[in-house]
Amino acid sequence: VIVLDFDLASAPDEVGRVSVPAELMARIARAEIGWEGEGKFEVCGEGGKPVVGKDRQRCVVSLKMFTQEGLRPLDPPAPSEQVAGARRVQVTVVSVKHLPKMDMFGTC
């Protein structure tokens, strides 16, 4: 997940990135359809260093994840067929805390 700032006069600047561990994403993708969970992840900048906010605390993103059935266009299951197979994970940013201070041009 890429965290961007908001600029009025120019394109957004990258604040940092959040990486969800592959093992965790694999477990979420295998979860039952309808599973929902929320977690906090640290935002990292260049070189994997934590992004520090204007309050000198580490920047944190809260993500909500929801497991859904994978898309199967034009191939709906028969009424008696058990649904199994592909999954997709919907990721929603719930909040971001301890962002760095922006300058007058929007650069962090």
Side-chain angles (χ1 to χ4, degrees), residues 69 72 75-85:
E69 183 175 0
R72 298 194 314 187
D75 187 24
S80 62
E81 184 180 336
Q82 184 177 10
V83 178

Side-chain angles (χ1 to χ4, degrees), residues 27-101:
R27 285 184 19 227
I28 293 169
R30 288 191 309 264
E32 288 186 33
I33 293 172
W35 178 88
E36 190 174 323
E38 190 173 319
K40 293 184 181 190
F41 299 87
E42 193 171 275
V43 179
C44 294
E46 290 184 31
K49 294 181 181 179
V51 172
V52 177
K54 59 186 174 187
D55 57 0
R56 298 182 189 214
Q57 294 188 45
R58 291 181 176 192
C59 184
V60 176
V61 172
S62 292
L63 299 176
K64 185 177 192 176
M65 300 192 190
F66 179 71
T67 304
Q68 300 173 320
E69 183 175 0
L71 296 176
R72 298 194 314 187
L74 302 175
D75 187 24
S80 62
E81 184 180 336
Q82 184 177 10
V83 178
R87 303 274 197 274
R88 60 188 174 131
V89 178
Q90 176 182 322
V91 179
T92 305
V93 175
V94 176
S95 67
V96 182
K97 295 183 180 181
H98 312 297
L99 286 166
K101 183 177 180 181

